[in-house]
Amino acid sequence: MTLFTIDQERCNRDGVCAAECPSRIIEMASPDGYPRPVPDAGQYCLGCGHCVAVCPNEALSLRWLAPGDCPPVHREKSFTASDAEHFLRYRRSIRSFKIQPVEREKLDKLLEIACYAPSAKNQQPWHWIVIVDTKEVRRLACLVVDWMRDVILTDPELADRFGLVRVVAAWDGGEERICRGAPHIIVAHADRDWPFGPEDCALALDYLELFAPTLGLGTCWGGYFYTAVNRYPPLSGALGLPDHHRAYGAMMVGYPEFTYRRFPERNPPRVTWR
């Protein structure tokens, strides 16, 4: 069965699908011909759907994806540059959360949007572990502290670099600095043999954290948490992380306790122009 079909009554033979194909597996049969797959198209197709999405006349359909399967783009909903700047500068890493749990449909929506992030070769390698039980979040944070105590004893230099002594001291004093009281933790993980796992999962988590404020939610990267997952078997076992996977990020999620009123300034770009 052919990789894609062309509705010749709709196709205007403009070659846009061939020009936009990342793997260059579409060619024009002739200057006035129709698009067709190159001989090894099935081997190199990424399944990205660019060809379906870019066709102005809905003329191209992949075996698994037709134009009607793809919601239309509403350009009137696009941000202005000013809107986008305000949105991006408004985002803050939240470290004070309300006790209130997040509704399941909002967590589902976060993950749905996260999966629209770009990934190398469109592999979409991410898997998700969502800790919804607040008590379980606390138990897992305790395992992170156990790892920290072990690092303080066995690798003081690393402990000093990560500031672990202060975090453990805070824990012993009743202050939880691992998950910051967030009601939920979302862990992104992928096959450890996929070379772009860190980048792909980071991009997906960034989509998640950028979308979260639109649902009234706050997020913060759990650096201590996912670092410990990959270094402390009792924690990875408690999470149920597959043996051949690594955690590439953890995100605290919840309702923010406070509202930010100003944009803190950032350092100017450090740029070398060539």
Side-chain angles (χ1 to χ4, degrees):
M1 185 176 180
T2 185
L3 182 65
F4 60 80
T5 57
I6 300 295
D7 184 336
Q8 295 188 1
E9 293 184 1
R10 287 179 172 270
C11 180
N12 64 8
R13 293 173 285 185
D14 56 14
V16 172
C17 55
E20 279 298 284
C21 175
S23 296
R24 296 296 188 264
I25 61 167
I26 302 174
E27 64 181 4
M28 303 303 292
S30 63
D32 59 350
Y34 293 97
R36 67 185 181 189
V38 300
D40 57 358
Q43 180 180 355
Y44 292 104
C45 177
L46 301 180
C48 64
H50 278 17
C51 51
V52 177
V54 78
C55 179
N57 297 319
E58 301 182 0
L60 188 150
S61 295
L62 291 162
R63 282 201 306 261
W64 62 90
L65 185 70
D69 300 325
C70 305
V73 174
H74 297 286
R75 297 195 179 279
E76 68 276 10
K77 293 186 177 182
S78 299
F79 283 161
T80 66
S82 178
D83 291 337
E85 179 182 352
H86 187 278
F87 173 76
L88 292 171
R89 292 180 67 183
Y90 176 75
R91 191 215 65 84
R92 304 249 62 81
S93 295
I94 301 301
R95 295 178 177 85
S96 298
F97 295 91
K98 295 179 179 179
I99 298 174
Q100 176 185 355
V102 176
E103 299 85 348
R104 175 63 180 270
E105 57 267 25
K106 288 190 176 183
L107 295 174
D108 285 338
K109 193 65 177 179
L110 285 177
L111 296 173
E112 176 190 341
I113 297 302
C115 291
Y116 280 91
S119 62
K121 296 184 178 296
N122 193 39
Q123 286 295 299
Q124 304 173 51
W126 39 71
H127 297 250
W128 306 96
I129 298 172
V130 183
I131 310 302
V132 294
D133 187 325
T134 302
K135 292 181 180 178
E136 181 66 3
V137 173
R138 175 78 180 187
R139 186 180 78 88
L140 295 173
C142 185
L143 288 174
V144 176
V145 173
D146 289 344
W147 166 74
M148 290 181 171
R149 295 188 198 278
D150 183 63
V151 173
I152 290 169
L153 291 174
T154 60
D155 194 342
E157 182 178 345
L158 179 64
D160 182 64
R161 187 161 69 249
F162 284 5
L164 302 188
V165 172
R166 294 183 74 245
V167 178
V168 172
W171 176 275
D172 291 340
E175 181 185 355
E176 194 267 279
R177 295 185 184 175
I178 308 303
C179 301
R180 303 282 182 165
H184 314 296
I185 291 287
I186 297 177
V187 178
H189 59 101
D191 192 314
R192 64 173 64 243
D193 292 331
W194 176 241
F196 303 105
E199 296 87 349
D200 291 345
C201 288
L203 285 166
L205 283 166
D206 272 341
Y207 264 47
L208 184 155
E209 73 165 336
L210 287 172
F211 186 70
T214 71
L215 302 178
L217 302 175
T219 60
C220 186
W221 280 75
Y224 289 134
F225 194 96
Y226 80 84
T227 300
V229 171
N230 293 319
R231 294 169 178 258
Y232 193 54
L235 179 57
S236 59
L239 276 177
L241 190 75
D243 290 341
H244 59 288
H245 277 210
R246 283 183 61 84
Y248 290 115
M251 193 71 68
M252 312 170 201
V253 180
Y255 285 100
E257 181 70 29
F258 306 109
T259 299
Y260 284 83
R261 310 290 182 180
R262 295 287 186 271
F263 301 134
E265 290 299 320
R266 290 289 188 259
N267 294 331
R270 301 178 181 93
V271 183
T272 300
W273 298 96
R274 294 187 183 278

